[in-house]
Amino acid sequence: MTAFIIEDEPLAAKRLADLLRRQQPPVQVLATADSVEAAVVLLETAATPPEVLFLDIHLADGLSFELFERVEVRCPVIFTTAYDQYALRAFKVNSVDYLLKPIDEEELQAALHKLRQLRAAAPVAGPSALGLDPAVLAQVLQQLQPQQQQYKKQFVVKVGEHLKVIPVEQVSYFFSLEKATFVQTRENRRFVLDQTLEQLEKMLDPQQFFRLNRAYLVHHAAIQDIIHYTNSRLKTTLQPASPEGDVLVSRERVPAFRAWLDR
């Protein structure tokens, strides 16, 4: 099987290519592109379309759905995304798969198995034959767009008898300690929040904040240094300093963290 990868994060593209080469049988990556414009050129000039297109939803110059308005996509598509949004379920029920980043190898295997089954059932390749319904894409795009504007903009915390408003732009990181959740500001002030880190992670822009481990959710500007640690681990130095000093990145989050940094 042959593939194109459309992905604007170099580390994520490399990791996906490595995973595809490890499949049995291996999937050959013919070409990659990192933007809508580059993908249009690639698909228009390709002598033979790939047997599958791995397509990141959010590219450097826009949403990848624009591809379907500008060029004929003559192969099945497996979408990849860092955004776990309910609207994407529409892809599943319409026989179009998607993978959440960092991509899990078992989920990739399942997606390729599903693709092979679809190809066997629909020998004539093409978007309509494999369930890529333009109407579904339009519906999903419509649902995704407003959600992008709903990220949390500020937090209200109680300080004695007063209420204080903390804009997200003033937040360095969030952390949990002794069953409580705290917000740490750039002014080195700390306040208790009612939300859990799991709730906060869904409220905040994932381009700005990353969950380093079970206890820390950080803004990219708060990361002052990144240090190699044992067993391919990484640790970060935050500003202002965290109560625990340097903060470790969970081993399973390291690939996604590298990709997030290199976006």
Side-chain angles (χ1 to χ4, degrees), residues 111-122:
L112 291 172
H113 177 69
K114 177 180 179 181
L115 174 59
R116 292 187 184 99
Q117 289 182 317
L118 289 171
R119 288 173 60 85

Side-chain angles (χ1 to χ4, degrees), residues 32-141:
T32 62
D34 61 1
S35 66
V36 174
E37 290 296 331
V40 169
V41 172
L42 178 61
L43 291 170
E44 286 181 336
T45 58
T48 304
E51 293 175 274
V52 60
L53 179 67
F54 286 89
L55 187 58
D56 187 13
I57 291 178
H58 292 263
L59 297 171
D61 56 349
L63 292 172
S64 61
F65 297 136
E66 295 176 26
L67 277 176
F68 303 97
E69 300 173 357
R70 299 178 55 181
V71 66
E72 181 183 2
V73 179
R74 294 178 292 163
C75 64
V77 175
I78 295 177
F79 290 95
T80 64
T81 179
Y83 300 86
D84 186 5
Q85 298 180 353
Y86 75 93
L88 298 180
R89 295 175 188 170
F91 294 139
K92 285 285 190 184
V93 299
N94 284 273
S95 300
V96 178
D97 219 336
Y98 76 95
L99 300 170
L100 294 177
K101 296 190 288 187
I103 292 173
D104 179 81
E105 187 164 8
E106 291 185 1
E107 292 182 359
L108 175 60
Q109 291 173 349
L112 291 172
H113 177 69
K114 177 180 179 181
L115 174 59
R116 292 187 184 99
Q117 289 182 317
L118 289 171
R119 288 173 60 85
V124 181
S128 59
L130 290 169
L132 185 56
D133 187 343
V136 173
L137 289 177
Q139 178 186 10
V140 173
L141 177 60

Side-chain angles (χ1 to χ4, degrees), residues 149-161:
Q149 307 302 319
Q150 293 177 1
Y151 295 126
K152 191 78 169 172
K153 293 183 173 61
Q154 61 189 30
F155 293 88
V156 178
V157 298
K158 186 175 181 181
V159 182
E161 298 300 319

Side-chain angles (χ1 to χ4, degrees), residues 23 56-57 84 103 106 112 120 144-145 152 165 183 195 197 225 231 236 253 260:
Q23 299 301 305
D56 187 13
I57 291 178
D84 186 5
I103 292 173
E106 291 185 1
L112 291 172
L144 282 174
Q145 292 284 20
K152 191 78 169 172
V165 176
V183 54
Q195 297 91 344
L197 287 185
D225 195 11
N231 297 325
T236 61
R253 296 177 185 267
W260 180 73

